[in-house]
Amino acid sequence: MLDNITQFIVTAAAEGGIWWQLGVALGLIIISLLVRRLFTCFIFTMILKLTKKTKTDLDSAALLAFKNPIQFLIVLIGLYLAINCFVLSPAVAAVIIKFFRSAVIIAFVWGLYNLVGGEAYHKLGEKFSVDEIIASFVTKALRIVIVALAIAIIAQEWDYDVNGFLAGLGLGGLAFALAAQDVAKNIFGGIVIILDKPFEVGDWILTSSVEGTVEEVNFRSTKVRTFANALVTVPNSVVANQAITNWSRMEKRRISFNLGVTYATSRAKLQSCVQRINTMLCRHPEIDPDTLFVRFDQFNESSLDIFIYYFTKTTVWGDYLAVKEDVNFKIMEILEDEGVSVAFPSRSLYFEKGFDGEADQLDDSDYSSSG
């Protein structure tokens, strides 16, 4: 159909002079811009409304992916027809046709590129519950394949021997493989990470080389945002061979410490403190009651140590700190009610002969402060 229109325009334009040809060419360009505008404002909007009435959003997302390529194609056809208004030599006409066909291929590939990784692709992934890392990995792979095929087709359109090029790659394949060993390791490392799923995008992880939140996993590397807000890029081959701690998969968060009270504390008050702290933790709505220990642990050098061990139900850092603070205030309240003081490091020094001739004792706790 396009060939028939082109032939008609060439015949009509040939009957006039150069100004007639310029006028027809300009008119065709203006018409293509008007058609593009008509398509954008009316036709595309009407089709989009119809697709939104269907049960799935995939057709609407796919249509949006090809919106810009179709607009480009409309203007491209207008330019092609406008150029054909002029009398061209067979060689120039052949080059123009190759340019036009290449541009059509680019428009089609542009739409496919938008479709893969676009809204339709993500909706399809959500429908089948595809992991985000796998979806990202497959998206990049498909886009590379699409671009590579487009380059090969365009090369054939321009009479380039693609088979010879591939054969040349085969001859240099060994050298390329040797030079790309690290790249291959990183790619296989990425595949191992995707299949094993030690973490997902958004997880807080710790390895021997980095700690932070995973932002992206691609063919070559894993990108981690540290708590100092720096972005660290780690090769997949390194990540895949390291021990990985995934803190985001904690079901609950541990708090463990020793609370030292003074030796002046009586046995009865110490028992009461232990019991009351244990009861408070058991009744706390944000503390997991399944694993909880409050015990008089040991006679330390300058304190009687109460061992406190419990887990918060939340693993969110801010909420965890809030629960920890609330528990600490409640423990302080219990100690104040019982009249028990928190111990601090102290040491007693003895002089064999004091200033008055008798053995004196100097307790450096008189000079110490809580620390």
Side-chain angles (χ1 to χ4, degrees), residues 210-314:
V210 68
E211 179 180 12
T213 304
V214 179
E215 284 199 353
E216 182 184 353
V217 179
N218 54 41
F219 283 106
R220 195 193 73 83
S221 60
T222 297
K223 296 181 180 179
V224 179
R225 180 75 62 179
T226 67
F227 297 125
N229 205 33
L231 185 64
V232 179
T233 301
V234 187
N236 287 333
S237 58
V238 175
V239 178
N241 290 315
Q242 289 182 342
I244 302 172
T245 302
N246 191 331
W247 294 112
S248 294
R249 294 185 182 177
M250 290 185 296
E251 297 179 352
K252 47 192 177 182
R253 198 159 192 158
R254 185 182 66 176
I255 297 176
S256 175
F257 64 96
N258 281 306
L259 175 65
V261 299
T262 61
Y263 267 93
T265 305
S266 65
R267 179 176 60 84
K269 287 189 174 183
L270 186 60
Q271 287 178 329
S272 178
C273 288
V274 171
Q275 183 178 0
R276 290 184 62 182
I277 293 173
N278 186 80
T279 302
M280 179 272 294
L281 292 176
C282 289
R283 294 177 179 176
H284 199 290
E286 298 298 327
I287 301 300
D288 180 30
D290 294 335
T291 307
L292 189 155
F293 298 101
V294 181
R295 293 287 186 268
F296 171 37
D297 186 43
Q298 63 179 336
F299 296 91
N300 212 333
E301 291 183 357
S302 56
S303 63
L304 303 173
D305 287 353
I306 301 174
F307 176 64
I308 300 176
Y309 184 95
Y310 63 95
F311 287 85
T312 62
K313 292 180 180 179
T314 180

Side-chain angles (χ1 to χ4, degrees), residues 75-152:
V75 177
L76 178 67
I77 292 173
L79 289 174
Y80 176 73
L81 295 175
I83 293 174
N84 280 279
C85 290
F86 303 96
V87 179
L88 304 174
S89 65
V92 174
V95 172
I96 295 297
I97 291 175
K98 288 182 179 181
F99 269 113
F100 177 72
R101 290 179 177 176
S102 300
V104 171
I105 294 170
I106 291 173
F108 181 70
V109 170
W110 183 5
L112 288 179
Y113 190 89
N114 292 339
L115 184 62
V116 176
E119 187 177 352
Y121 185 82
H122 288 298
K123 288 183 180 295
L124 190 63
E126 292 174 359
K127 182 178 180 180
F128 293 99
S129 301
V130 179
D131 185 82
E132 186 175 352
I133 294 179
I134 296 177
S136 177
F137 202 85
V138 173
T139 297
K140 290 181 175 62
L142 288 176
R143 283 183 166 180
I144 290 174
V145 171
I146 289 171
V147 172
L149 289 176
I151 293 173

Side-chain angles (χ1 to χ4, degrees), residues 280 322-336:
M280 179 272 294
V323 174
K324 186 177 180 181
E325 179 186 56
D326 183 59
V327 169
N328 288 342
F329 278 131
K330 284 182 168 58
I331 291 175
M332 287 184 65
E333 183 180 359
I334 292 172
L335 296 179
E336 290 172 358

